[in-house]
């Protein structure tokens, strides 16, 4: 049987999108850059901010944000569904982080991350009872 190693997200600006998702998901953080990695990037003319592959680690699968510049690609084939304590408060928090509300439904809100990738904020069990 296979296991999920990481979830890969194509991004125009991987570092910016990685920071958004690290701030969105509980227990996740952008993987720290050690001196050797910063030096390796510098030899390539890059910095952590322009790194074409940025990792976000947490209690579940790692998220990998990689450069993808085909702006005519349309929506992604997969998206994340997340849940917070109260959906309206979680939606407001995510808007403050740079997300936009696409539309609301009974039980979930479809949102767009800063690069326009769709994801859903679902009602918590507390809201469903």
């Amino acid at each position: 049987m296979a296991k999920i190693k990481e979830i890969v997200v194509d991004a125009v600006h991987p570092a910016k999108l990685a920071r958004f998702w690290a701030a969105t998901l509980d227990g996740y953080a952008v993987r720290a850059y050690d001196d050797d990695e910063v030096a390796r990037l510098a030899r390539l003319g890059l910095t952590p901010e322009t790194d074409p592959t940025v990792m976000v680690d947490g209690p579940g699968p790692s998220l990998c944000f990689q450069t993808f510049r085909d702006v005519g690609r349309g929506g992604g084939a997969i998206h994340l569904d997340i849940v917070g304590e109260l959906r309206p408060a979680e939606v407001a928090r995510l808007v403050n982080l740079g997300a936009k509300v696409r539309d609301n439904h009974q039980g979930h809100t479809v949102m767009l991350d800063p690069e326009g990738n769709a994801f859903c904020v679902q009602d918590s069990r507390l809201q469903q009872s």
Side-chain angles (χ1 to χ4, degrees):
M1 296 295 289
K3 294 181 182 178
I4 293 175
K5 177 184 176 192
E6 58 197 26
I7 298 169
V8 180
V9 179
D10 293 334
V12 176
H13 303 288
K16 181 179 178 183
L17 201 56
R19 285 192 304 272
F20 170 83
W21 282 105
T24 294
L25 299 171
D26 186 33
Y28 278 79
V30 173
R31 185 176 293 170
Y33 288 85
D34 62 20
D35 292 341
D36 289 341
E37 183 62 7
V38 171
R40 184 190 73 80
L41 288 172
R43 286 191 301 275
L44 297 171
L46 300 167
T47 68
E49 188 60 30
T50 60
D51 188 352
T53 304
V54 179
M55 300 299 297
V56 175
D57 299 314
S62 293
L63 304 175
C64 173
F65 297 87
Q66 66 181 13
T67 300
F68 185 78
R69 299 197 186 281
D70 185 4
V71 294
R73 67 184 155 105
I78 63 171
H79 69 267
L80 301 177
D81 286 347
I82 63 173
V83 64
E85 284 298 314
L86 297 173
R87 181 168 40 126
E90 186 64 14
V91 166
R93 184 180 78 84
L94 297 172
V95 167
N96 284 335
L97 290 173
K100 294 179 182 167
V101 174
R102 189 179 82 187
D103 46 70
N104 285 294
H105 302 273
Q106 183 175 348
H108 71 282
T109 299
V110 179
M111 300 191 73
L112 302 175
D113 72 16
E115 290 195 1
N117 302 301
F119 66 99
C120 294
V121 178
Q122 297 181 344
D123 281 340
S124 69
R125 288 188 186 158
L126 176 66
Q127 291 169 316
Q128 294 172 356
S129 31

PDB file of all heavy atoms in Angstrom, residues 67-102:
ATOM      1  N   THR A  67       7.347  26.010  -8.151  1.00  0.00           N
ATOM      2  CA  THR A  67       7.113  26.990  -9.207  1.00  0.00           C
ATOM      3  C   THR A  67       6.408  26.349 -10.389  1.00  0.00           C
ATOM      4  O   THR A  67       6.802  25.292 -10.865  1.00  0.00           O
ATOM      5  CB  THR A  67       8.444  27.608  -9.673  1.00  0.00           C
ATOM      6  OG1 THR A  67       9.062  28.248  -8.559  1.00  0.00           O
ATOM      7  CG2 THR A  67       8.214  28.630 -10.770  1.00  0.00           C
ATOM      8  N   PHE A  68       5.375  27.034 -10.835  1.00  0.00           N
ATOM      9  CA  PHE A  68       4.596  26.624 -11.996  1.00  0.00           C
ATOM     10  C   PHE A  68       4.044  27.891 -12.612  1.00  0.00           C
ATOM     11  O   PHE A  68       3.281  28.600 -11.974  1.00  0.00           O
ATOM     12  CB  PHE A  68       3.457  25.695 -11.565  1.00  0.00           C
ATOM     13  CG  PHE A  68       2.682  25.120 -12.713  1.00  0.00           C
ATOM     14  CD1 PHE A  68       3.187  24.064 -13.445  1.00  0.00           C
ATOM     15  CD2 PHE A  68       1.429  25.616 -13.044  1.00  0.00           C
ATOM     16  CE1 PHE A  68       2.464  23.511 -14.494  1.00  0.00           C
ATOM     17  CE2 PHE A  68       0.715  25.072 -14.088  1.00  0.00           C
ATOM     18  CZ  PHE A  68       1.223  24.023 -14.808  1.00  0.00           C
ATOM     19  N   ARG A  69       4.453  28.232 -13.803  1.00  0.00           N
ATOM     20  CA  ARG A  69       4.106  29.534 -14.376  1.00  0.00           C
ATOM     21  C   ARG A  69       3.068  29.484 -15.492  1.00  0.00           C
ATOM     22  O   ARG A  69       2.851  30.451 -16.171  1.00  0.00           O
ATOM     23  CB  ARG A  69       5.364  30.220 -14.875  1.00  0.00           C
ATOM     24  CG  ARG A  69       6.362  30.465 -13.758  1.00  0.00           C
ATOM     25  CD  ARG A  69       7.394  31.481 -14.151  1.00  0.00           C
ATOM     26  NE  ARG A  69       8.418  31.603 -13.156  1.00  0.00           N
ATOM     27  CZ  ARG A  69       8.306  32.287 -12.027  1.00  0.00           C
ATOM     28  NH1 ARG A  69       7.204  32.910 -11.743  1.00  0.00           N
ATOM     29  NH2 ARG A  69       9.313  32.348 -11.177  1.00  0.00           N
ATOM     30  N   ASP A  70       2.390  28.363 -15.685  1.00  0.00           N
ATOM     31  CA  ASP A  70       1.384  28.265 -16.741  1.00  0.00           C
ATOM     32  C   ASP A  70       0.080  28.879 -16.234  1.00  0.00           C
ATOM     33  O   ASP A  70      -0.801  28.188 -15.741  1.00  0.00           O
ATOM     34  CB  ASP A  70       1.179  26.809 -17.145  1.00  0.00           C
ATOM     35  CG  ASP A  70       0.230  26.664 -18.310  1.00  0.00           C
ATOM     36  OD1 ASP A  70      -0.217  27.686 -18.865  1.00  0.00           O
ATOM     37  OD2 ASP A  70      -0.060  25.512 -18.671  1.00  0.00           O
ATOM     38  N   VAL A  71      -0.021  30.205 -16.360  1.00  0.00           N
ATOM     39  CA  VAL A  71      -1.157  30.918 -15.787  1.00  0.00           C
ATOM     40  C   VAL A  71      -2.477  30.563 -16.443  1.00  0.00           C
ATOM     41  O   VAL A  71      -3.527  30.804 -15.884  1.00  0.00           O
ATOM     42  CB  VAL A  71      -0.945  32.453 -15.833  1.00  0.00           C
ATOM     43  CG1 VAL A  71       0.201  32.853 -14.937  1.00  0.00           C
ATOM     44  CG2 VAL A  71      -0.717  32.932 -17.249  1.00  0.00           C
ATOM     45  N   GLY A  72      -2.477  29.955 -17.612  1.00  0.00           N
ATOM     46  CA  GLY A  72      -3.710  29.583 -18.270  1.00  0.00           C
ATOM     47  C   GLY A  72      -4.197  28.200 -17.893  1.00  0.00           C
ATOM     48  O   GLY A  72      -5.082  27.650 -18.516  1.00  0.00           O
ATOM     49  N   ARG A  73      -3.673  27.633 -16.824  1.00  0.00           N
ATOM     50  CA  ARG A  73      -3.941  26.241 -16.464  1.00  0.00           C
ATOM     51  C   ARG A  73      -5.320  25.999 -15.904  1.00  0.00           C
ATOM     52  O   ARG A  73      -5.767  24.870 -15.828  1.00  0.00           O
ATOM     53  CB  ARG A  73      -2.906  25.760 -15.467  1.00  0.00           C
ATOM     54  CG  ARG A  73      -3.027  26.454 -14.129  1.00  0.00           C
ATOM     55  CD  ARG A  73      -1.914  26.016 -13.201  1.00  0.00           C
ATOM     56  NE  ARG A  73      -1.680  27.031 -12.220  1.00  0.00           N
ATOM     57  CZ  ARG A  73      -2.069  26.958 -10.958  1.00  0.00           C
ATOM     58  NH1 ARG A  73      -2.685  25.934 -10.521  1.00  0.00           N
ATOM     59  NH2 ARG A  73      -1.821  27.933 -10.132  1.00  0.00           N
ATOM     60  N   GLY A  74      -6.015  27.021 -15.427  1.00  0.00           N
ATOM     61  CA  GLY A  74      -7.309  26.799 -14.785  1.00  0.00           C
ATOM     62  C   GLY A  74      -7.129  26.292 -13.380  1.00  0.00           C
ATOM     63  O   GLY A  74      -6.047  26.344 -12.816  1.00  0.00           O
ATOM     64  N   GLY A  75      -8.194  25.754 -12.806  1.00  0.00           N
ATOM     65  CA  GLY A  75      -8.154  25.283 -11.433  1.00  0.00           C
ATOM     66  C   GLY A  75      -7.382  23.981 -11.305  1.00  0.00           C
ATOM     67  O   GLY A  75      -7.215  23.242 -12.265  1.00  0.00           O
ATOM     68  N   GLY A  76      -6.921  23.708 -10.102  1.00  0.00           N
ATOM     69  CA  GLY A  76      -6.192  22.486  -9.839  1.00  0.00           C
ATOM     70  C   GLY A  76      -7.120  21.280  -9.800  1.00  0.00           C
ATOM     71  O   GLY A  76      -8.328  21.395  -9.658  1.00  0.00           O
ATOM     72  N   ALA A  77      -6.544  20.105  -9.936  1.00  0.00           N
ATOM     73  CA  ALA A  77      -7.326  18.876  -9.925  1.00  0.00           C
ATOM     74  C   ALA A  77      -7.739  18.477  -8.512  1.00  0.00           C
ATOM     75  O   ALA A  77      -8.679  17.725  -8.344  1.00  0.00           O
ATOM     76  CB  ALA A  77      -6.521  17.751 -10.566  1.00  0.00           C
ATOM     77  N   ILE A  78      -7.021  18.941  -7.499  1.00  0.00           N
ATOM     78  CA  ILE A  78      -7.369  18.646  -6.108  1.00  0.00           C
ATOM     79  C   ILE A  78      -7.368  19.945  -5.324  1.00  0.00           C
ATOM     80  O   ILE A  78      -6.803  20.949  -5.746  1.00  0.00           O
ATOM     81  CB  ILE A  78      -6.389  17.649  -5.458  1.00  0.00           C
ATOM     82  CG1 ILE A  78      -4.976  18.235  -5.400  1.00  0.00           C
ATOM     83  CG2 ILE A  78      -6.407  16.321  -6.186  1.00  0.00           C
ATOM     84  CD1 ILE A  78      -4.015  17.408  -4.585  1.00  0.00           C
ATOM     85  N   HIS A  79      -8.032  19.917  -4.188  1.00  0.00           N
ATOM     86  CA  HIS A  79      -7.984  21.068  -3.295  1.00  0.00           C
ATOM     87  C   HIS A  79      -8.080  20.569  -1.857  1.00  0.00           C
ATOM     88  O   HIS A  79      -8.409  19.413  -1.621  1.00  0.00           O
ATOM     89  CB  HIS A  79      -9.095  22.084  -3.614  1.00  0.00           C
ATOM     90  CG  HIS A  79     -10.474  21.603  -3.285  1.00  0.00           C
ATOM     91  ND1 HIS A  79     -11.275  20.971  -4.213  1.00  0.00           N
ATOM     92  CD2 HIS A  79     -11.187  21.656  -2.143  1.00  0.00           C
ATOM     93  CE1 HIS A  79     -12.429  20.667  -3.648  1.00  0.00           C
ATOM     94  NE2 HIS A  79     -12.404  21.061  -2.389  1.00  0.00           N
ATOM     95  N   LEU A  80      -7.768  21.439  -0.914  1.00  0.00           N
ATOM     96  CA  LEU A  80      -7.823  21.091   0.497  1.00  0.00           C
ATOM     97  C   LEU A  80      -9.166  21.486   1.081  1.00  0.00           C
ATOM     98  O   LEU A  80      -9.720  22.531   0.734  1.00  0.00           O
ATOM     99  CB  LEU A  80      -6.709  21.803   1.261  1.00  0.00           C
ATOM    100  CG  LEU A  80      -5.277  21.513   0.817  1.00  0.00           C
ATOM    101  CD1 LEU A  80      -4.300  22.343   1.632  1.00  0.00           C
ATOM    102  CD2 LEU A  80      -4.958  20.036   0.936  1.00  0.00           C
ATOM    103  N   ASP A  81      -9.693  20.661   1.970  1.00  0.00           N
ATOM    104  CA  ASP A  81     -10.848  21.006   2.788  1.00  0.00           C
ATOM    105  C   ASP A  81     -10.330  21.151   4.209  1.00  0.00           C
ATOM    106  O   ASP A  81      -9.635  20.272   4.712  1.00  0.00           O
ATOM    107  CB  ASP A  81     -11.910  19.905   2.764  1.00  0.00           C
ATOM    108  CG  ASP A  81     -12.675  19.839   1.460  1.00  0.00           C
ATOM    109  OD1 ASP A  81     -12.575  20.792   0.662  1.00  0.00           O
ATOM    110  OD2 ASP A  81     -13.373  18.838   1.239  1.00  0.00           O
ATOM    111  N   ILE A  82     -10.658  22.267   4.841  1.00  0.00           N
ATOM    112  CA  ILE A  82     -10.203  22.507   6.206  1.00  0.00           C
ATOM    113  C   ILE A  82     -11.401  22.812   7.094  1.00  0.00           C
ATOM    114  O   ILE A  82     -12.487  23.128   6.604  1.00  0.00           O
ATOM    115  CB  ILE A  82      -9.160  23.649   6.276  1.00  0.00           C
ATOM    116  CG1 ILE A  82      -9.770  24.984   5.815  1.00  0.00           C
ATOM    117  CG2 ILE A  82      -7.929  23.306   5.431  1.00  0.00           C
ATOM    118  CD1 ILE A  82      -8.848  26.163   6.013  1.00  0.00           C
ATOM    119  N   VAL A  83     -11.207  22.720   8.389  1.00  0.00           N
ATOM    120  CA  VAL A  83     -12.266  23.017   9.348  1.00  0.00           C
ATOM    121  C   VAL A  83     -11.654  23.772  10.518  1.00  0.00           C
ATOM    122  O   VAL A  83     -10.522  23.517  10.912  1.00  0.00           O
ATOM    123  CB  VAL A  83     -12.972  21.715   9.813  1.00  0.00           C
ATOM    124  CG1 VAL A  83     -12.039  20.808  10.570  1.00  0.00           C
ATOM    125  CG2 VAL A  83     -14.213  22.022  10.612  1.00  0.00           C
ATOM    126  N   GLY A  84     -12.387  24.753  11.024  1.00  0.00           N
ATOM    127  CA  GLY A  84     -11.979  25.498  12.206  1.00  0.00           C
ATOM    128  C   GLY A  84     -13.069  25.394  13.250  1.00  0.00           C
ATOM    129  O   GLY A  84     -14.068  24.696  13.051  1.00  0.00           O
ATOM    130  N   GLU A  85     -12.908  26.073  14.355  1.00  0.00           N
ATOM    131  CA  GLU A  85     -13.921  26.023  15.409  1.00  0.00           C
ATOM    132  C   GLU A  85     -15.282  26.498  14.904  1.00  0.00           C
ATOM    133  O   GLU A  85     -16.261  25.795  14.992  1.00  0.00           O
ATOM    134  CB  GLU A  85     -13.474  26.854  16.618  1.00  0.00           C
ATOM    135  CG  GLU A  85     -12.410  26.169  17.436  1.00  0.00           C
ATOM    136  CD  GLU A  85     -12.885  24.861  18.039  1.00  0.00           C
ATOM    137  OE1 GLU A  85     -14.000  24.826  18.594  1.00  0.00           O
ATOM    138  OE2 GLU A  85     -12.152  23.867  17.931  1.00  0.00           O
ATOM    139  N   LEU A  86     -15.348  27.704  14.397  1.00  0.00           N
ATOM    140  CA  LEU A  86     -16.581  28.267  13.847  1.00  0.00           C
ATOM    141  C   LEU A  86     -16.270  28.783  12.444  1.00  0.00           C
ATOM    142  O   LEU A  86     -15.370  29.594  12.269  1.00  0.00           O
ATOM    143  CB  LEU A  86     -17.128  29.378  14.732  1.00  0.00           C
ATOM    144  CG  LEU A  86     -17.554  28.941  16.140  1.00  0.00           C
ATOM    145  CD1 LEU A  86     -17.922  30.157  16.980  1.00  0.00           C
ATOM    146  CD2 LEU A  86     -18.733  27.974  16.067  1.00  0.00           C
ATOM    147  N   ARG A  87     -17.019  28.309  11.470  1.00  0.00           N
ATOM    148  CA  ARG A  87     -16.719  28.656  10.073  1.00  0.00           C
ATOM    149  C   ARG A  87     -16.645  30.158   9.830  1.00  0.00           C
ATOM    150  O   ARG A  87     -15.691  30.620   9.201  1.00  0.00           O
ATOM    151  CB  ARG A  87     -17.716  27.996   9.128  1.00  0.00           C
ATOM    152  CG  ARG A  87     -17.388  28.322   7.669  1.00  0.00           C
ATOM    153  CD  ARG A  87     -18.137  27.486   6.655  1.00  0.00           C
ATOM    154  NE  ARG A  87     -19.507  27.214   6.926  1.00  0.00           N
ATOM    155  CZ  ARG A  87     -20.509  27.465   6.082  1.00  0.00           C
ATOM    156  NH1 ARG A  87     -20.275  28.009   4.906  1.00  0.00           N
ATOM    157  NH2 ARG A  87     -21.735  27.142   6.398  1.00  0.00           N
ATOM    158  N   PRO A  88     -17.606  30.987  10.293  1.00  0.00           N
ATOM    159  CA  PRO A  88     -17.488  32.427  10.005  1.00  0.00           C
ATOM    160  C   PRO A  88     -16.193  33.051  10.535  1.00  0.00           C
ATOM    161  O   PRO A  88     -15.566  33.865   9.857  1.00  0.00           O
ATOM    162  CB  PRO A  88     -18.713  33.039  10.687  1.00  0.00           C
ATOM    163  CG  PRO A  88     -19.696  31.909  10.759  1.00  0.00           C
ATOM    164  CD  PRO A  88     -18.861  30.676  10.979  1.00  0.00           C
ATOM    165  N   ALA A  89     -15.782  32.641  11.731  1.00  0.00           N
ATOM    166  CA  ALA A  89     -14.543  33.175  12.303  1.00  0.00           C
ATOM    167  C   ALA A  89     -13.333  32.692  11.513  1.00  0.00           C
ATOM    168  O   ALA A  89     -12.390  33.453  11.267  1.00  0.00           O
ATOM    169  CB  ALA A  89     -14.423  32.776  13.773  1.00  0.00           C
ATOM    170  N   GLU A  90     -13.350  31.432  11.080  1.00  0.00           N
ATOM    171  CA  GLU A  90     -12.234  30.892  10.305  1.00  0.00           C
ATOM    172  C   GLU A  90     -12.154  31.576   8.944  1.00  0.00           C
ATOM    173  O   GLU A  90     -11.077  31.938   8.476  1.00  0.00           O
ATOM    174  CB  GLU A  90     -12.373  29.375  10.139  1.00  0.00           C
ATOM    175  CG  GLU A  90     -11.196  28.726   9.472  1.00  0.00           C
ATOM    176  CD  GLU A  90      -9.899  28.814  10.262  1.00  0.00           C
ATOM    177  OE1 GLU A  90      -9.903  29.159  11.463  1.00  0.00           O
ATOM    178  OE2 GLU A  90      -8.845  28.543   9.661  1.00  0.00           O
ATOM    179  N   VAL A  91     -13.300  31.789   8.310  1.00  0.00           N
ATOM    180  CA  VAL A  91     -13.325  32.483   7.019  1.00  0.00           C
ATOM    181  C   VAL A  91     -12.756  33.888   7.174  1.00  0.00           C
ATOM    182  O   VAL A  91     -11.932  34.336   6.376  1.00  0.00           O
ATOM    183  CB  VAL A  91     -14.750  32.497   6.427  1.00  0.00           C
ATOM    184  CG1 VAL A  91     -14.868  33.484   5.273  1.00  0.00           C
ATOM    185  CG2 VAL A  91     -15.149  31.089   5.987  1.00  0.00           C
ATOM    186  N   ALA A  92     -13.160  34.605   8.223  1.00  0.00           N
ATOM    187  CA  ALA A  92     -12.648  35.962   8.456  1.00  0.00           C
ATOM    188  C   ALA A  92     -11.139  35.942   8.678  1.00  0.00           C
ATOM    189  O   ALA A  92     -10.409  36.801   8.160  1.00  0.00           O
ATOM    190  CB  ALA A  92     -13.359  36.592   9.657  1.00  0.00           C
ATOM    191  N   ARG A  93     -10.648  34.967   9.433  1.00  0.00           N
ATOM    192  CA  ARG A  93      -9.200  34.857   9.682  1.00  0.00           C
ATOM    193  C   ARG A  93      -8.451  34.638   8.372  1.00  0.00           C
ATOM    194  O   ARG A  93      -7.419  35.266   8.113  1.00  0.00           O
ATOM    195  CB  ARG A  93      -8.926  33.700  10.654  1.00  0.00           C
ATOM    196  CG  ARG A  93      -7.465  33.556  11.062  1.00  0.00           C
ATOM    197  CD  ARG A  93      -7.274  32.393  12.019  1.00  0.00           C
ATOM    198  NE  ARG A  93      -7.280  31.114  11.327  1.00  0.00           N
ATOM    199  CZ  ARG A  93      -6.211  30.578  10.735  1.00  0.00           C
ATOM    200  NH1 ARG A  93      -5.052  31.217  10.743  1.00  0.00           N
ATOM    201  NH2 ARG A  93      -6.296  29.398  10.148  1.00  0.00           N
ATOM    202  N   LEU A  94      -8.987  33.790   7.510  1.00  0.00           N
ATOM    203  CA  LEU A  94      -8.325  33.487   6.248  1.00  0.00           C
ATOM    204  C   LEU A  94      -8.374  34.669   5.288  1.00  0.00           C
ATOM    205  O   LEU A  94      -7.425  34.903   4.544  1.00  0.00           O
ATOM    206  CB  LEU A  94      -8.946  32.240   5.622  1.00  0.00           C
ATOM    207  CG  LEU A  94      -8.764  30.974   6.465  1.00  0.00           C
ATOM    208  CD1 LEU A  94      -9.568  29.832   5.878  1.00  0.00           C
ATOM    209  CD2 LEU A  94      -7.309  30.629   6.621  1.00  0.00           C
ATOM    210  N   VAL A  95      -9.443  35.426   5.306  1.00  0.00           N
ATOM    211  CA  VAL A  95      -9.512  36.650   4.499  1.00  0.00           C
ATOM    212  C   VAL A  95      -8.418  37.610   4.941  1.00  0.00           C
ATOM    213  O   VAL A  95      -7.738  38.225   4.119  1.00  0.00           O
ATOM    214  CB  VAL A  95     -10.915  37.287   4.570  1.00  0.00           C
ATOM    215  CG1 VAL A  95     -10.908  38.703   4.015  1.00  0.00           C
ATOM    216  CG2 VAL A  95     -11.935  36.423   3.826  1.00  0.00           C
ATOM    217  N   ASN A  96      -8.200  37.716   6.257  1.00  0.00           N
ATOM    218  CA  ASN A  96      -7.124  38.575   6.771  1.00  0.00           C
ATOM    219  C   ASN A  96      -5.746  38.095   6.332  1.00  0.00           C
ATOM    220  O   ASN A  96      -4.815  38.888   6.230  1.00  0.00           O
ATOM    221  CB  ASN A  96      -7.181  38.668   8.293  1.00  0.00           C
ATOM    222  CG  ASN A  96      -8.286  39.571   8.763  1.00  0.00           C
ATOM    223  OD1 ASN A  96      -8.721  40.469   8.047  1.00  0.00           O
ATOM    224  ND2 ASN A  96      -8.783  39.326   9.963  1.00  0.00           N
ATOM    225  N   LEU A  97      -5.611  36.789   6.050  1.00  0.00           N
ATOM    226  CA  LEU A  97      -4.336  36.242   5.583  1.00  0.00           C
ATOM    227  C   LEU A  97      -4.157  36.390   4.071  1.00  0.00           C
ATOM    228  O   LEU A  97      -3.098  36.100   3.547  1.00  0.00           O
ATOM    229  CB  LEU A  97      -4.229  34.756   5.954  1.00  0.00           C
ATOM    230  CG  LEU A  97      -4.046  34.437   7.431  1.00  0.00           C
ATOM    231  CD1 LEU A  97      -4.126  32.931   7.660  1.00  0.00           C
ATOM    232  CD2 LEU A  97      -2.721  34.986   7.941  1.00  0.00           C
ATOM    233  N   GLY A  98      -5.215  36.815   3.367  1.00  0.00           N
ATOM    234  CA  GLY A  98      -5.093  37.031   1.929  1.00  0.00           C
ATOM    235  C   GLY A  98      -6.003  36.182   1.064  1.00  0.00           C
ATOM    236  O   GLY A  98      -5.949  36.266  -0.163  1.00  0.00           O
ATOM    237  N   ALA A  99      -6.850  35.351   1.666  1.00  0.00           N
ATOM    238  CA  ALA A  99      -7.788  34.535   0.892  1.00  0.00           C
ATOM    239  C   ALA A  99      -9.015  35.363   0.524  1.00  0.00           C
ATOM    240  O   ALA A  99      -9.250  36.434   1.082  1.00  0.00           O
ATOM    241  CB  ALA A  99      -8.218  33.312   1.712  1.00  0.00           C
ATOM    242  N   LYS A 100      -9.790  34.844  -0.430  1.00  0.00           N
ATOM    243  CA  LYS A 100     -11.037  35.493  -0.839  1.00  0.00           C
ATOM    244  C   LYS A 100     -12.157  34.465  -0.798  1.00  0.00           C
ATOM    245  O   LYS A 100     -11.944  33.289  -1.092  1.00  0.00           O
ATOM    246  CB  LYS A 100     -10.922  36.045  -2.259  1.00  0.00           C
ATOM    247  CG  LYS A 100      -9.930  37.164  -2.381  1.00  0.00           C
ATOM    248  CD  LYS A 100      -9.846  37.658  -3.799  1.00  0.00           C
ATOM    249  CE  LYS A 100      -8.785  38.769  -3.859  1.00  0.00           C
ATOM    250  NZ  LYS A 100      -8.406  39.092  -5.205  1.00  0.00           N
ATOM    251  N   VAL A 101     -13.351  34.926  -0.467  1.00  0.00           N
ATOM    252  CA  VAL A 101     -14.525  34.062  -0.501  1.00  0.00           C
ATOM    253  C   VAL A 101     -15.018  33.984  -1.942  1.00  0.00           C
ATOM    254  O   VAL A 101     -15.237  35.014  -2.581  1.00  0.00           O
ATOM    255  CB  VAL A 101     -15.641  34.605   0.413  1.00  0.00           C
ATOM    256  CG1 VAL A 101     -16.924  33.785   0.253  1.00  0.00           C
ATOM    257  CG2 VAL A 101     -15.187  34.627   1.863  1.00  0.00           C
ATOM    258  N   ARG A 102     -15.148  32.759  -2.456  1.00  0.00           N
ATOM    259  CA  ARG A 102     -15.722  32.577  -3.787  1.00  0.00           C
ATOM    260  C   ARG A 102     -17.229  32.425  -3.687  1.00  0.00           C
ATOM    261  O   ARG A 102     -17.974  33.095  -4.375  1.00  0.00           O
ATOM    262  CB  ARG A 102     -15.117  31.370  -4.497  1.00  0.00           C
ATOM    263  CG  ARG A 102     -15.546  31.316  -5.968  1.00  0.00           C
ATOM    264  CD  ARG A 102     -14.965  30.160  -6.705  1.00  0.00           C
ATOM    265  NE  ARG A 102     -15.782  28.975  -6.413  1.00  0.00           N
ATOM    266  CZ  ARG A 102     -15.480  27.745  -6.790  1.00  0.00           C
ATOM    267  NH1 ARG A 102     -14.359  27.517  -7.438  1.00  0.00           N
ATOM    268  NH2 ARG A 102     -16.273  26.744  -6.501  1.00  0.00           N
TER     269      ARG A 102
END
